[in-house]
Amino acid sequence: MAITYMTKDGYKKKMEEIAYLESVERPKISRAIGEARDKGDLSENSEYDAAKEAQGMLEMKIAQLKDLVANARIIDDSTLNNEEVQILNKVKIKNVSNGMNMEYTIVADSEADLKEKKIGSSTPIAQGLLGHKLGEIVEIKVPAGLMKFEIVEISF
């Protein structure tokens, strides 16, 4: 599995999610399986089948989260600067063709959330901005074609 970059906060949230799934959801599914098993014939028991399937999905999710945190690298925000675009920077960009301004924070893919204007570092826009400096015009290949953006501001 690939290395995932996370903030301390993002890592903490994933660890809390694992703890919740293991301490609350896992026992809940075990109880559901037990209750369904007590109802008799398992060959025609759809409740039992559904509970076993839910258990499989839960265990898969727990395993995926554990892999994610096992391969996580915590980003030390004290080493960040705003000389050039880096992960965890907030970047204000201007679409050169229409003058429209956009602002994104570049985060680890596991922490991306478009509603909060947080884009994953592997997205085309983030990839096109990373390493570039204030005032530079970058060409970024997006699904709609090639677009030019000017880097207007870099902050934390």
Side-chain angles (χ1 to χ4, degrees):
M1 184 168 214
I3 291 174
T4 305
Y5 292 94
M6 293 183 171
T7 59
K8 286 179 189 154
D9 191 41
Y11 183 82
K12 185 176 158 228
K13 283 180 181 169
K14 295 294 179 200
M15 293 303 284
E16 287 169 356
E17 186 178 357
I18 291 168
Y20 172 79
L21 293 174
E22 288 182 333
S23 65
V24 177
E25 290 299 318
R26 186 182 271 162
K28 193 189 300 182
I29 289 177
S30 291
R31 280 193 302 277
I33 290 171
E35 288 168 12
R37 192 182 302 124
D38 291 344
K39 291 182 180 169
D41 184 10
L42 297 181
S43 64
E44 295 177 18
N45 189 331
S46 60
E47 282 180 46
Y48 178 78
D49 293 340
K52 287 299 278 183
E53 187 174 328
Q55 181 185 43
M57 299 293 278
L58 177 73
E59 293 304 327
M60 188 171 74
K61 183 170 185 171
I62 290 170
Q64 286 173 337
L65 284 168
K66 284 185 171 183
D67 274 353
L68 186 71
V69 296
N71 293 295
R73 299 291 177 272
I74 307 300
I75 301 161
D76 180 3
D77 50 13
S78 68
T79 63
L80 297 176
N81 65 61
N82 57 358
E83 299 294 311
E84 64 181 37
V85 180
Q86 301 177 304
I87 194 163
L88 291 190
N89 280 146
K90 184 182 284 187
V91 185
K92 188 181 280 183
I93 55 176
K94 182 169 83 177
N95 183 326
V96 174
S97 64
N98 66 13
M100 200 171 110
N101 283 316
M102 292 165 275
E103 192 171 82
Y104 297 110
T105 301
I106 300 174
V107 297
D109 291 335
S110 62
E111 298 176 42
D113 185 348
L114 268 179
K115 283 181 253 148
E116 293 181 27
K117 295 187 178 179
K118 293 179 177 182
I119 58 172
S121 59
S122 70
T123 61
I125 290 179
Q127 286 291 303
L129 294 171
L130 288 168
H132 289 279
K133 295 180 177 6
L134 188 66
E136 279 188 45
I137 297 194
V138 294
E139 286 188 350
I140 300 174
K141 188 171 178 18
V142 294
L146 201 61
M147 297 181 79
K148 288 184 180 181
F149 295 99
E150 179 183 354
I151 299 173
V152 179
E153 190 179 313
I154 304 171
S155 59
F156 297 113

